[in-house]
Structure formats: C-alpha cells, structure tokens
Amino acid sequence: QDNMAFTGKYEIESDENYDEFMKKIGIPSDIIEKGRNFKIVSEVVQNGNDFTWSQHYPGGHSMNNTFTIGKEADLESVSGKKFKATVKMEDGKIIFDFPNYHHTAEISGGKLVEVSFQISKLLKDLKIN
C-alpha cells in the first residue's frame, strides 16, 4: 500500500441509500433533507499510518478526524457524536467502527470509495436459573 495513497480531495459523486442509512443512524429528517444534495468534499492527508480526515459541508461546517492506524483515537461521527475507536487497515481498506455504523474507505480507480452500513446487535435471551 502506497504511503500516501489516500491523500487528496474528493467530492461526492453519488450516494446510494442515503435517506435510509441516515434515518437508521438517527439523523433527523430536516437534516437529511438539507444534506441530500450537498456536495460534500472529503479531504484526506496521509503520512504513513497517520491520517487527518476532514469532511467539508456547504455553509462552512467541517468535521475533522485525526488518527493513526492501529491506535485508539478520539473521533466524531457524522451526527457530531464524539467517541473513541481504533481505526484499522485491511487489504488496502481503512475500517472505522462508529458507535452505530461500520464504515470502510478505499481508493479505487483514483476515487475514494466509502461504504457505511448500520450495525445491529442480535441479543439472545438467556435464561439464568
């Protein structure tokens, strides 16, 4: 994996299942509506295993996450929730586990491809005697 493979500025070209995903992770409808046609720009600076990952939204709001692969970091989710997580890299993909969704990012054909999906927990009812 190239030491700087992720470095660049990327503008969203398309997002699939945006509304459904945002609802599932608890984003209010008015915010979903506003964000639907935003041209969000992701700016990534990679220096070896150290990353600064920023998302710039119209109107001047930005979300910045700084992390090192394999080390716990303080991160912020799309909804603004702060949490701690260890970001991993497997097969050239960066893997983030946010509090209620799983996110991967990779470079494919010169584009940043990001995939998020909701994590649902299946809990088994245990009978304790």
Side-chain angles (χ1 to χ4, degrees):
Q1 177 77 11
D2 178 354
N3 231 9
M4 305 287 283
F6 282 88
T7 295
K9 270 189 178 184
Y10 308 92
E11 184 178 37
I12 287 196
E13 280 183 17
S14 67
D15 48 14
E16 295 167 26
N17 302 318
Y18 168 82
D19 288 44
E20 183 186 345
F21 173 74
M22 297 301 261
K23 276 183 200 138
K24 281 185 174 176
I25 64 167
I27 305 295
S29 334
D30 59 320
I31 304 292
I32 293 172
E33 193 61 41
K34 272 200 287 198
R36 186 176 299 113
N37 299 310
F38 276 0
K39 286 297 177 198
I40 298 168
V41 175
S42 292
E43 187 173 0
V44 182
V45 178
Q46 177 185 3
N47 185 356
N49 284 333
D50 298 327
F51 285 80
T52 300
W53 200 288
S54 304
Q55 288 192 306
H56 305 291
Y57 303 91
H61 175 72
S62 289
M63 179 180 83
N64 301 301
N65 283 314
T66 302
F67 57 90
T68 299
I69 298 295
K71 292 188 177 159
E72 189 175 72
D74 291 309
L75 301 174
E76 183 181 350
S77 74
V78 71
S79 64
K81 192 177 290 179
K82 307 257 192 231
F83 65 100
K84 288 186 181 301
T86 301
V87 181
K88 298 179 236 114
M89 187 173 300
E90 290 172 15
D91 302 323
K93 285 186 182 182
I94 294 178
I95 301 166
F96 302 84
D97 280 313
F98 287 87
N100 55 352
Y101 60 100
H102 180 79
H103 186 83
T104 62
E106 67 181 315
I107 301 296
S108 178
K111 295 181 182 190
L112 177 66
V113 178
E114 297 182 274
V115 177
S116 296
F117 58 88
Q118 185 190 24
I119 299 168
S120 48
K121 293 182 171 73
L122 185 59
L123 300 175
K124 193 173 179 182
D125 186 14
L126 295 177
K127 303 282 185 248
I128 299 170
N129 296 334

